[in-house]
Amino acid sequence: MINGGTTLHGEVEISGAKNAAVAIIPAALMVDGVCVIENMPQISDTEMLLTILKELGAKIRYLNRSTVEIDCTDVWMQDAPYDLMRKIRASYYLIGAMLGRFGHAKTTMPGGCNFGVRPIDQHIKGMNALGADIDIKSGFIYADSRDGKLHGARIYLDKVSVGATMNIILAATLAQGRTIIENAAREPHIVDLANFLNSMGADIRGAGTDTVKVNGVDRLHGGSYALIPDQIEAGTYMVAAAATGGEVLIKNVIPRHLECISAKLRETGTIVQEYGDAVLVKGASALRKINVKTLPYPGFPTDMQPPMCALLCVANGTSVVTEGVYDNRFKYVNELRKMGAEIQVDGRVAVVEGGKRLSGAPVMACDLRAGAAMVIAGMCAAGTTVVEDVRFIERGYENFVGKLNSLGADIRIVDEPEERRGREKIVSIV
Ligand code: UD1
């Protein structure tokens, strides 16, 4: 429940990157030894993946709030907890990791946010090229290497896909010979996965460019690794600060990863100042309209599209938002309309008539980033907004309410998500 009309001021610390963590936790399955991962975000997606590894036989313990030790030495191939797998998108990384370690894998079709059809054909194409047969039956994915081992191959992705790039990197790490991924995605979390694997003995080059080369190695050894900060969490606080006309120092970030967001915010009249590992965002007294199109990195991230759309509702003038990654990522617009927003959607294009005073309303968090957009709109609105289904937000934002309230927001959780109620923390801090 958000009491609107607040302006955000102060400092906020960004957590580790969700989309790096959800690939690096499965990657730990392939490591012959103990991995210590620092800067692990406390969100439900990472908790679910750690639970999956634990049920497969991994030993997991937190050394402090954000440092987790994973030992997969005793993991054996067995049925994974499918009810958990189908809840998260990133369960598809278990295919690459299990193929790498065992030569076969069985997972469910991935879950995650619903932005229309989200095929995994490029993942399958990659695994096939590496020598695995993939069979999809009754909602399960069966992957089997044809001769017990994967073999390096040249793979051209027909679509720039973050998930396929990372999954193929995982599978190719312990394969025999060299794999070349062309038309690869270039997101910072792809570089993070490659850095993690390289620090454990892998030989991956070119991550962050559109050609990634993986020379297969025989084994990965244990080690320590710190995750990069979350680009989208940082971007969300940047947009929240700008939309509420506040002034927030966003700490523990890599400003270079935020350039695509900073550039568009500056066009709205927002001041963004970069420091070594922080950005200062000062909202303008009157925000200006902008046109924005989402694209793979280094373009404007699709995950920032809903929060930016919420901001543009309160900017002056008519903005055009074009979704360049997903077919159907404007479903949440109906919820913004309930708050008085004027937005017309035609396919992948939304036209936002800005300058409207939003008013509080009961709305839904349709998915993770749409949920964040509702909270931003609620802070900008007059009166009280109730956002339902905050479990989506908890998938990817650590302590969202606590962090926003520390900046001066007035938000309360009035009904705890059922999933959190009675949920035991999977591992205790030692
Ligand atoms: C990841 C992120 C998600 C982000 C997205 C784009 C995770 C867990 N999730 O999702 O937060 O919104 O990147 O930055 O990291 N596609 C195909 N075939 C495939 C794979 C993808 O057609 O085999 C299409 C998708 O439908 C989409 C586009 O390619 O239109 C990009 O998807 P992709 O980059 O794969 O997104 P995800 O990895 O699922």
Side-chain angles (χ1 to χ4, degrees):
M1 180 183 283
I2 302 151
N3 289 318
T6 51
T7 304
L8 301 185
H9 282 281
E11 298 182 0
V12 66
E13 188 95 19
I14 297 307
S15 303
K18 162 187 168 284
N19 287 347
V22 297
I24 286 174
I25 295 171
L29 257 184
M30 301 196 296
V31 174
D32 199 1
V34 177
C35 303
V36 175
I37 305 172
E38 294 167 35
N39 215 19
M40 180 65 75
Q42 300 284 305
I43 51 177
S44 63
D45 266 20
T46 52
E47 216 176 293
M48 270 194 251
L49 277 163
L50 288 169
T51 306
I52 291 171
L53 286 201
K54 196 169 178 234
E55 297 207 4
L56 287 171
K59 292 193 191 79
I60 294 173
R61 58 182 193 144
Y62 271 94
L63 305 182
N64 60 43
R65 236 186 106 262
S66 59
T67 304
V68 66
E69 186 184 80
I70 305 177
D71 181 357
C72 291
T73 313
D74 294 332
V75 170
W76 64 97
M77 183 59 199
Q78 55 171 332
D79 279 3
Y82 301 115
D83 51 327
L84 288 180
M85 280 199 185
R86 74 169 68 92
K87 286 187 184 157
I88 47 175
R89 182 86 192 142
S91 58
Y92 50 41
Y93 293 130
L94 289 161
I95 304 174
M98 285 179 152
L99 266 178
R101 168 140 185 192
F102 305 112
H104 46 261
K106 181 184 169 194
T107 67
T108 56
M109 285 299 278
C113 297
N114 179 3
F115 316 136
V117 186
R118 293 178 78 180
I120 55 162
D121 57 305
Q122 298 306 304
H123 301 239
I124 295 172
K125 172 179 166 171
M127 301 304 157
N128 285 157
L130 294 173
D133 289 325
I134 309 282
D135 204 5
I136 300 180
K137 273 192 294 212
S138 320
F140 288 97
I141 304 171
Y142 299 83
D144 277 289
S145 58
R146 282 170 216 131
D147 61 4
K149 191 88 191 129
L150 298 178
H151 300 274
R154 199 174 191 111
I155 300 156
Y156 175 83
L157 294 179
D158 301 319
K159 194 136 197 189
V160 178
S161 161
V162 171
T165 303
M166 289 167 89
N167 220 348
I168 296 168
I169 289 175
L170 284 167
T173 292
L174 293 175
Q176 279 171 351
R178 169 181 267 214
T179 297
I180 299 176
I181 309 168
E182 287 171 309
N183 199 25
R186 294 177 283 166
E187 268 67 4
H189 28 286
I190 294 171
V191 181
D192 213 32
L193 173 66
N195 286 345
F196 166 81
L197 290 166
N198 284 342
S199 73
M200 308 283 151
D203 182 359
I204 303 164
R205 295 156 199 218
T209 75
D210 59 8
T211 306
V212 181
K213 295 179 182 146
V214 185
N215 292 312
V217 295
D218 291 338
R219 70 177 280 270
L220 298 178
H221 53 74
S224 293
Y225 190 78
L227 298 175
I228 53 166
D230 196 299
Q231 177 205 31
I232 306 300
E233 189 197 12
T236 302
Y237 286 99
M238 291 169 76
V239 167
T244 62
E247 182 171 332
V248 177
L249 183 68
I250 297 154
K251 298 186 344 189
N252 184 35
V253 300
I254 298 175
R256 189 167 36 87
H257 295 167
L258 302 173
E259 271 164 15
C260 39
I261 302 163
S262 307
K264 296 313 286 184
L265 279 178
R266 288 191 183 111
E267 282 183 31
T268 68
T270 302
I271 293 170
V272 181
Q273 287 167 357
E274 293 175 5
Y275 299 93
D277 62 352
V279 289
L280 178 68
V281 177
K282 292 186 202 174
S285 52
L287 292 166
R288 294 193 291 267
K289 68 182 173 79
I290 57 166
N291 295 337
V292 55
K293 179 171 184 178
T294 70
L295 290 167
Y297 190 81
F300 186 83
T302 173
D303 287 354
M304 284 304 302
Q305 183 255 97
M308 185 58 103
C309 211
L311 175 145
L312 295 175
C313 292
V314 297
N316 289 326
T318 305
S319 299
V320 178
V321 180
T322 307
E323 173 54 50
V325 178
Y326 291 108
D327 289 333
N328 193 1
R329 202 171 185 173
F330 283 121
K331 277 182 291 184
Y332 68 93
V333 157
N334 269 336
E335 304 302 305
L336 285 177
R337 287 188 186 123
K338 290 179 189 165
M339 301 175 73
E342 274 190 34
I343 307 174
Q344 305 303 322
V345 176
D346 186 5
R348 285 175 166 227
V349 179
V351 178
V352 184
E353 297 291 343
K356 306 283 176 252
R357 186 78 213 266
L358 300 179
S359 47
V363 292
M364 299 282 294
C366 308
D367 61 59
L368 166 58
R369 308 301 172 187
M374 293 308 137
V375 174
I376 292 171
M379 290 189 293
C380 295
T384 302
T385 296
V386 176
V387 182
E388 265 187 61
D389 256 344
V390 294
R391 70 197 159 98
F392 283 115
I393 299 176
E394 295 187 337
R395 283 192 37 220
Y397 290 95
E398 177 175 324
N399 189 20
F400 197 41
V401 169
K403 288 186 186 184
L404 286 171
N405 282 345
S406 76
L407 294 171
D410 182 359
I411 309 177
R412 273 184 308 141
I413 299 276
V414 283
D415 186 15
E416 229 179 320
E418 203 166 308
E419 299 204 340
R420 174 143 47 85
R421 239 178 275 154
R423 188 172 71 198
E424 271 178 57
K425 194 150 181 56
I426 48 139
V427 276
S428 51
I429 296 178
V430 293

